Amino acid sequence: MEASWRQVAGGRGRARGRASAAPSSGNGVHLRGAGGGREKGSGGEVPSGAIPGGVATTAAARSSNSPAGSQALQTPAVHELMSQKKFEEIKKANQAAARKLVEEHFSSSSEEEGDEDFEGKQGRIVANTFITYTTQTDGDIRELERTKQYVNEAFQAGAMTCLICIASVKRNQAVWSCLGCFCIFHMPCIQKWAKDSQFLVSSVTDDDFGKRDYPWPCPKCRFEYKRSETPSRYYCYCGKVEDPPLDPWLVPHSCGQVCEREFKPPCGHKCLLLCHPGPCPPCPKMVTTTCYCKKAKPIPRRCSAKEWSCQLPCGRKLLCGQHKCENPCHAGSCQPCPRVSRQKCVCGKKVAERSCSSPLWHCDQVCGKTLPCGNHTCEQVCHVDTCGECPRSGKRFCPCQKSKFSLPCTEDVPTCGDSCDKVLECGIHRCSQRCHRGPCETCRQEVEKHCRCGKHTKRMPCHKPYLCETKCVKMRDCQKHQCRRKCCPGNCPPCDQNCGRTLGCRNHKCPSVCHRGSCYPCPETVDVKCNCGNTKVTVPCGRERTTRPPKCKEQCSRPPTCHHISQEKHRCHFGSCPPCHQPCQKVLEKCGHLCPAPCHDQALIKQTGKHQPTGPWEQPSEPAFIQTALPCPPCQVPIPVECLGKHEVSPLPCHAVGPYSCKRVCGRILDCQNHTCMKECHKVTEIDGSTGKNKAGPECLHCDEGCSRSRPLGCLHPCVLPCHPGECPPCVQMLRIKCHCKITSLYVECRKITTADVNEKNLLSCCKNQCPKELPCGHRCKEMCHPGECPFNCNQKVKLRCPCKRIKKELQCNKVRENQVSIECDTTCKEMKRKASEIKEAEAKAAYEEEKRRQQAELEAFENRLKGRRKKNRKRDEVAVELSPWQKHKYYLLSVCGAVVVVFAWYITHDVD
């Protein structure tokens, strides 16, 4: 629910009727004491430290306009105006500071949340990309972590670092990726590294540089590459596209095509992801495989986890040949038999409890069996085979190996008496003693010996080595330190001193032994922590200076700097805490309410009275601001107050409580009981103890209008009385109306017409004369003047004839119209019809004969013309046609017959009448 001061400023609540009298100059009390933040609706100009300036002005205007209470509210209104002016001055001075310092002092929580939302969406996108690799049986998500890490680092700016130059790898730079550790290096850096590594190795071991193909190692994993594998061109991760174009919608350094690299270990499938950094994820294909022991039914599984255990006992026979493997279904060979049994040693002298997996064992006793010589016993320790022959049997050599003797095994071989002549330890001289048992003595001859380095000679016993005191001055393989070894033969050992050079991280020194060329990248990592230290990110050593501290999700634990017991919850951050936004909650002195405005203990106020510039050449100094506590704004707690006319109860700010007009129409019912008071909301004095809110008082208007009550239905005359309570008198005006037949005019009172029912109205409109309307038969209606259609009951006589019109009778009109009576022809009529038909038939027959003769004459004439007779003989060819009596006298006969028929019809008609 919004605060009351927001509702007043926004034009809601009681202020909707006084919008023109209360212009808004702000949007609320001070919100950020440090000048941070602006309230919605301020137009971007007024800081949140502004106080609404229209409330006090409105209250003062309302108090001055109200008929009562203006004197009581005059003094508080003046004080409010004074305080309002002070707040306006503070607002103007604070605008510049708020605009300048809003970025510095504004809480970064919203930005962090926005970044976290973006990172969260990016993380969800990457997670959804790899979720299909783990949705099936036994998907191992741990194998995906490396691929996810490389993909995430590829999307994050500055996350990928070249370990050679300790610099960020940008998306528009040529790079090279190691096949062993998938670490990414700049192309120039790895080319220089490979060249230097090959040069160092060949310069030490090869006289002519470039003759042999020396390998070079990866700076991180030491994976060795051949000289021919030195990168010379920039390819994408999958190696399909050379110089892949920069596309903001793809992973940096990616071609956007399907990877299609073979999985490791190879399974016959290829990677289905788009060209990506890092190792390919485990094979996601589904294959149908059985368990290790082949007992379970084959089931579909991921190709990367196709080997599985059914957890049933293995059951395979162990090496002991007696027991079976009881371990659950497993890969590889079965473990040795874990059972224990009593077993004899190889010689069979001892029995001990031993593991069943090692049935053959040897005790520690000497064999002791008598050898075939019968004089000696076997000295071998617990063995399997036969003891063999006595080692002292057969021919044996003397100690100097020059003479052989055949003696019994019980006798020792004697010395031969010849010189020993064995080569002494010096490798030059021989032993000069006679044949003897045991080792020869040390060589004691004096010889001229050279020292090991070959620079000095000395005569001394042969068995003693000669080392001079001369120190070697040759440089070791590091080319920095001398050998300094006494009497060095020339094969100086590698340098054993520490390198000690500062690495590229500028934090550590090289821990390797002294070497030539560039040092390996620093192997150390550094944790970049947040302010509280709970959140950290591990980066290569040397990157901590340029790496942005991670966003910590822990709450800030610093103590509050305002009067509140605990500060507003916000996340860990560097720098000063954001301004406190908690409600002030201090008790106001005048009303005792708690201050609902945001904390204003540390508001930024521009410091006045500073040094003014002496001229335009002097640069103006930046305005100085000090933090100070502002007084609480006027109390905005809504207090329900009833208006003067008791129309509504509106919540007014606590500091502006008082009688007011809601600006509505009074609306109380006047004495006429028909109209309401149209004055603006005003004070009403109750009369005779009446408590009704709708009763008009002496301050209300008096009704001077005429009666406006609705008239009865059909009455168009106004009431003759002025506006009055109760019912109007009956209308006595005379109305001129037409009767039902629309001929006669009648005069009737209006009240009779308006109060009459349907039957009475029909009687009032009747003229008592015969209805002048004609019936459908053509006769006049016999009824008295009536409404509606005339009844069809005509009794007037009409003449009716037979079909031949010879017979005639008089009948009632309604019966004739209803076809209840009909007249049929008699025999006379039928005889006349027969004679007339015979005459017609004779005429038709005569006409047919005449037509037939005429056609015959025309045919003969036509045939004569075809014969080609001459003109002079035409008269001879003419055929004389003789006319029949009917053709000669037919017109006379027809006239006579017509006259006869007319006379006969006239006679029959007069005879019937």
Side-chain angles (χ1 to χ4, degrees):
M1 180 177 180
E2 288 190 334
S4 59
W5 54 271
R6 286 186 182 273
Q7 296 178 359
V8 172
R12 293 188 293 271
R14 67 177 183 84
R16 62 179 179 269
R18 301 182 298 279
S20 60
S24 175
S25 63
N27 279 333
V29 296
H30 184 76
L31 292 180
R32 294 177 174 87
R38 297 172 183 169
E39 284 300 314
K40 185 178 179 181
S42 61
E45 297 293 335
V46 182
S48 58
I51 305 298
V55 177
T57 308
T58 307
R62 183 170 63 248
S63 300
S64 61
N65 293 335
S66 61
S70 60
Q71 295 296 331
L73 296 177
Q74 184 174 3
T75 303
V78 172
H79 287 296
E80 290 174 1
L81 288 174
M82 294 292 292
S83 62
Q84 188 64 36
K85 289 181 179 179
K86 292 181 180 179
F87 273 91
E88 289 292 337
E89 293 176 358
I90 295 173
K91 180 189 69 176
K92 293 178 181 179
N94 204 20
Q95 282 182 353
R99 283 193 296 267
K100 181 179 179 181
L101 301 179
V102 64
E103 295 293 337
E104 178 180 354
H105 293 275
F106 185 64
S107 174
S108 62
S109 61
S110 61
E111 297 178 1
E112 293 176 357
E113 291 175 0
D115 295 342
E116 289 173 2
D117 291 342
F118 175 76
E119 293 176 1
K121 291 179 180 178
Q122 176 178 312
R124 287 193 294 272
I125 292 173
V126 175
N128 291 335
T129 303
F130 294 100
I131 193 63
T132 55
Y133 287 82
T134 58
T135 52
Q136 297 295 332
T137 307
D138 290 344
D140 191 1
I141 196 172
R142 293 175 298 177
E143 298 295 333
L144 301 174
E145 293 302 324
R146 291 183 63 194
T147 306
K148 286 184 180 180
Q149 179 182 358
Y150 278 96
V151 174
N152 283 326
E153 289 179 355
F155 281 109
Q156 295 176 2
M160 292 191 297
T161 304
C162 177
L163 296 181
I164 299 177
C165 63
I166 314 298
S168 298
V169 177
K170 299 181 180 179
R171 60 173 56 233
N172 58 350
Q173 294 176 335
V175 297
W176 175 83
S177 177
C178 176
L179 298 178
C181 62
F182 302 97
C183 188
I184 296 177
F185 305 92
H186 290 122
M187 182 65 73
C189 296
I190 195 63
Q191 289 175 343
K192 184 177 183 299
W193 176 272
K195 184 177 180 181
D196 293 346
S197 300
Q198 294 171 358
F199 176 77
L200 292 177
V201 176
S202 61
S203 62
V204 176
T205 59
D206 196 359
D207 295 336
D208 187 6
F209 175 69
K211 282 187 176 181
R212 299 179 59 184
D213 187 7
Y214 292 103
W216 55 274
C218 169
K220 183 178 181 181
C221 65
R222 305 297 192 269
F223 183 81
E224 290 189 351
Y225 294 89
K226 297 180 180 179
R227 184 175 184 179
S228 58
E229 295 176 346
T230 303
S232 59
R233 301 191 178 209
Y234 168 40
Y235 287 93
C236 62
Y237 296 114
C238 64
K240 294 180 182 178
V241 179
E242 181 180 353
D243 295 330
L246 178 62
D247 192 340
W249 301 105
L250 296 177
V251 179
H253 317 293
S254 171
C255 63
Q257 302 179 21
V258 180
C259 177
E260 292 186 348
R261 287 184 290 184
E262 292 187 357
F263 290 108
K264 294 182 181 179
C267 61
H269 303 129
K270 295 183 179 181
C271 181
L272 301 179
L273 291 179
L274 299 183
C275 182
H276 61 90
C280 295
C283 181
K285 291 287 186 179
M286 298 297 296
V287 294
T288 303
T289 58
T290 184
C291 61
Y292 296 113
C293 64
K294 313 298 182 182
K295 294 181 181 179
K297 293 182 179 180
I299 60 174
R301 293 177 61 87
R302 293 285 184 185
C303 181
S304 58
K306 59 185 175 182
E307 296 181 353
W308 60 285
S309 172
C310 64
Q311 299 302 320
L312 297 176
C314 176
R316 285 184 285 185
K317 206 165 207 178
L318 299 177
L319 296 177
C320 65
Q322 299 178 2
H323 306 108
K324 293 184 178 181
C325 180
E326 298 177 354
N327 293 329
C329 177
H330 59 85
S333 301
C334 297
Q335 296 180 359
C337 183
R339 298 192 179 186
V340 177
S341 61
R342 295 181 62 82
Q343 300 174 4
K344 291 182 179 182
C345 65
V346 174
C347 64
K349 293 181 178 180
K350 285 189 176 182
V351 178
E353 289 186 354
R354 294 180 55 83
S355 174
C356 190
S357 60
S358 56
L360 299 178
W361 64 285
H362 299 268
C363 64
D364 55 354
Q365 293 186 5
V366 179
C367 177
K369 293 180 180 180
T370 303
L371 296 177
C373 67
N375 298 321
H376 300 93
T377 57
C378 180
E379 297 180 356
Q380 298 182 27
V381 179
C382 186
H383 60 88
V384 179
D385 298 330
T386 58
C387 299
E389 298 293 331
C390 179
R392 296 171 63 88
S393 62
K395 292 184 179 182
R396 290 178 287 173
F397 284 97
C398 65
C400 67
Q401 303 294 321
K402 290 183 179 180
S403 300
K404 282 186 178 182
F405 297 92
S406 296
L407 297 174
C409 64
T410 55
E411 296 181 7
D412 294 333
V413 178
T415 58
C416 64
D418 198 356
S419 60
C420 179
D421 206 22
K422 291 182 181 179
V423 179
L424 299 178
E425 292 181 357
C426 64
I428 301 174
H429 305 101
R430 293 180 179 272
C431 180
S432 59
Q433 293 182 358
R434 290 186 181 275
C435 179
H436 60 88
R437 292 183 177 89
C440 298
E441 63 180 5
T442 306
C443 183
R444 300 185 179 276
Q445 295 187 23
E446 289 189 357
V447 294
E448 191 78 17
K449 273 197 165 186
H450 288 273
C451 65
R452 189 168 55 184
C453 64
K455 294 182 180 180
H456 304 279
T457 59
K458 185 179 180 181
R459 192 168 185 83
M460 57 187 306
C462 182
H463 70 278
K464 290 184 178 180
Y466 175 42
L467 299 177
C468 68
E469 298 295 326
T470 304
K471 294 183 178 180
C472 181
V473 296
K474 289 183 179 181
M475 301 298 291
R476 296 195 179 188
D477 57 352
C478 65
Q479 299 298 319
K480 295 180 182 179
H481 304 102
Q482 292 181 345
C483 177
R484 307 302 294 171
R485 189 173 62 161
K486 290 183 180 181
C487 196
C488 179
N491 54 343
C492 300
C495 185
D496 56 356
Q497 299 186 28
N498 290 332
C499 177
R501 286 186 292 180
T502 303
L503 299 178
C505 64
R506 302 184 183 276
N507 295 329
H508 303 96
K509 293 185 178 180
C510 181
S512 304
V513 295
C514 191
H515 58 86
R516 296 178 65 183
S518 302
C519 298
Y520 279 95
C522 181
E524 301 292 334
T525 57
V526 181
D527 292 337
V528 180
K529 299 182 179 180
C530 64
N531 188 34
C532 66
N534 293 330
T535 305
K536 63 181 180 180
V537 59
T538 302
V539 297
C541 183
R543 291 287 296 172
E544 69 274 6
R545 302 181 186 89
T546 58
T547 301
R548 185 178 179 181
K551 294 181 176 62
C552 181
K553 295 184 179 180
E554 300 293 333
Q555 300 294 332
C556 180
S557 58
R558 297 182 185 178
T561 56
C562 58
H563 68 279
H564 292 101
I565 299 176
S566 61
Q567 65 175 347
E568 203 170 13
K569 289 185 179 181
H570 60 280
R571 293 180 179 174
C572 173
H573 60 90
F574 291 93
S576 58
C577 293
C580 180
H581 300 129
Q582 301 181 68
C584 178
Q585 296 297 316
K586 290 183 179 179
V587 180
L588 301 177
E589 297 179 357
K590 294 183 179 180
C591 59
H593 292 124
L594 299 179
C595 179
C599 181
H600 45 82
D601 287 351
Q602 294 180 341
L604 283 180
I605 304 299
K606 184 177 180 180
Q607 191 175 5
T608 58
K610 287 293 182 180
H611 173 70
Q612 298 294 332
T614 58
W617 57 86
E618 185 175 353
Q619 295 294 332
S621 60
E622 294 292 334
F625 296 89
I626 58 174
Q627 285 188 346
T628 183
L630 295 178
C632 294
C635 182
Q636 300 290 336
V637 175
I639 304 297
V641 179
E642 193 174 28
C643 66
L644 294 173
K646 299 181 180 181
H647 300 111
E648 67 176 16
V649 177
S650 294
L652 299 184
C654 181
H655 71 279
V657 170
Y660 73 97
S661 172
C662 65
K663 305 299 180 181
R664 296 181 181 176
V665 177
C666 176
R668 291 177 177 264
I669 300 175
L670 301 179
D671 294 337
C672 65
Q673 302 296 322
N674 297 324
H675 300 93
T676 57
C677 179
M678 301 303 295
K679 291 176 66 176
E680 191 179 283
C681 177
H682 59 88
K683 185 178 180 181
V684 179
T685 303
E686 302 294 342
I687 301 176
D688 298 336
S690 176
T691 58
K693 294 185 178 180
N694 294 330
K695 184 68 174 178
E699 294 85 1
C700 295
L701 295 174
H702 295 280
C703 182
D704 296 330
E705 299 181 8
C707 180
S708 59
R709 287 181 176 273
S710 60
R711 306 299 295 166
L713 185 63
C715 181
L716 303 178
H717 309 104
C719 181
V720 296
L721 300 178
C723 187
H724 60 87
E727 299 294 333
C728 296
C731 181
V732 295
Q733 291 286 340
M734 299 299 290
L735 295 179
R736 181 182 177 183
I737 61 176
K738 289 287 187 179
C739 65
H740 298 302
C741 55
K742 309 299 181 182
I743 297 177
T744 307
S745 297
L746 305 176
Y747 292 89
V748 185
E749 289 184 359
C750 180
R751 62 179 179 177
K752 291 182 180 181
I753 293 294
T754 55
T755 58
D757 56 6
V758 177
N759 296 331
E760 292 177 353
K761 287 183 178 180
N762 292 336
L763 293 175
L764 292 175
S765 300
C766 182
C767 63
K768 310 300 181 181
N769 297 324
Q770 184 182 356
C771 178
K773 299 178 183 178
E774 287 187 358
L775 297 177
C777 60
H779 303 122
R780 183 177 176 180
C781 179
K782 300 296 183 179
E783 299 292 333
M784 192 182 297
C785 180
H786 61 85
E789 296 292 335
C790 296
F792 185 65
N793 56 355
C794 182
N795 296 324
Q796 191 170 350
K797 298 257 183 160
V798 294
K799 293 180 179 181
L800 186 63
R801 296 178 182 271
C802 69
C804 64
K805 305 299 181 181
R806 187 180 70 82
I807 304 172
K808 179 177 67 173
K809 292 182 180 179
E810 287 186 357
L811 302 172
Q812 290 184 358
C813 179
N814 55 352
K815 292 182 180 182
V816 175
R817 298 284 294 182
E818 294 176 359
N819 296 326
Q820 295 181 359
V821 180
S822 62
I823 300 175
E824 301 296 334
C825 294
D826 55 0
T827 56
T828 306
C829 294
K830 293 178 180 180
E831 183 66 24
M832 292 179 65
K833 287 182 180 181
R834 186 182 62 80
K835 292 181 178 180
S837 62
E838 289 178 354
I839 295 173
K840 288 182 179 180
E841 289 178 359
E843 292 178 353
K845 185 177 181 181
Y848 175 73
E849 293 292 338
E850 180 65 24
E851 182 65 21
K852 188 175 181 181
R853 282 192 294 268
R854 186 181 63 79
Q855 290 178 356
Q856 183 66 29
E858 290 180 356
L859 179 61
E860 293 176 355
F862 179 73
E863 290 177 352
N864 292 333
R865 283 195 299 271
L866 292 177
K867 292 179 179 179
R869 294 180 180 178
R870 295 182 179 180
K871 263 185 180 184
K872 59 182 179 179
N873 298 326
R874 285 182 183 176
K875 291 182 181 181
R876 202 179 302 168
D877 296 335
E878 290 179 358
V879 178
V881 180
E882 185 179 0
L883 297 177
S884 63
W886 168 255
Q887 291 178 347
K888 294 179 181 179
H889 308 289
K890 61 181 178 179
Y891 296 107
Y892 302 104
L893 293 175
L894 289 176
S895 300
V896 172
C897 290
V900 172
V901 170
V902 171
V903 172
F904 182 74
W906 179 84
Y907 172 77
I908 292 173
T909 302
H910 284 273
D911 187 38
V912 173
D913 293 340

